[in-house]
Amino acid sequence: MVTLWIAAAVAGVALAVVFASLFPDTRRGKWEAVLLVLVLAAYAALEALGSEGSEGEDGDLRTALLVFIGAAIYFALMHVSFIGWSKRQDERVRLGRPVEKLKARHYTVMVLGIVVTIAVMIPLW
């Protein structure tokens, strides 16, 4: 279970970095993004620790952690994979040009992201 908490902490840091890159390029915007993830993580941890002593099963906590880790990994992978494309689309919008449609290679990257996420999640299961 300790391994899952460590993996969840690493996934939370990755998610905070991704959120920070999505917020405005101001110091306040970056802190808002990081604080958002920290508050959500603290709430989830307190809920998990609170339910651990009650009737909640250990399997429920494990499943919740795995879902969080998987979602964070996938979101971080997609952000890294599409950051260049996304910036180009933002520039096109600023210039008044139409946004490009997704191509087959973009969908392939999304499916590969799911495969990688599952491959990372299997040893944690």
Side-chain angles (χ1 to χ4, degrees), residues 10-41 68 71-80 83:
V10 171
V13 169
L15 202 56
V17 170
V18 168
F19 270 56
S21 70
L22 295 175
F23 275 65
D25 276 342
T26 62
R27 182 179 294 242
R28 181 176 178 215
K30 301 295 183 193
W31 277 108
E32 288 172 351
V34 172
L35 284 175
L36 173 67
V37 174
L38 289 176
V39 167
L40 291 173
F68 171 75
I73 289 171
Y74 183 74
F75 192 56
L77 282 173
M78 291 302 98
H79 180 70
V80 168
I83 189 132

Side-chain angles (χ1 to χ4, degrees), residues 41-115:
Y43 175 76
L46 289 173
E47 282 293 315
L49 293 174
S51 68
E52 225 173 276
S54 63
E55 296 178 11
E57 294 181 18
D58 197 31
D60 293 341
L61 174 60
R62 185 176 183 79
T63 302
L65 284 173
L66 286 170
V67 168
F68 171 75
I69 293 167
I73 289 171
Y74 183 74
F75 192 56
L77 282 173
M78 291 302 98
H79 180 70
V80 168
S81 300
F82 287 100
I83 189 132
W85 183 84
S86 179
K87 286 183 179 182
R88 285 193 305 273
Q89 299 314 306
D90 285 344
E91 188 63 30
R92 290 178 69 86
V93 168
R94 280 190 210 114
L95 295 173
R97 297 182 187 156
V99 177
E100 295 175 1
K101 292 185 178 183
L102 290 174
K103 297 178 181 163
R105 67 175 184 243
H106 296 112
Y107 292 111
T108 303
V109 168
M110 288 180 206
V111 171
L112 285 174
I114 292 171
V115 171

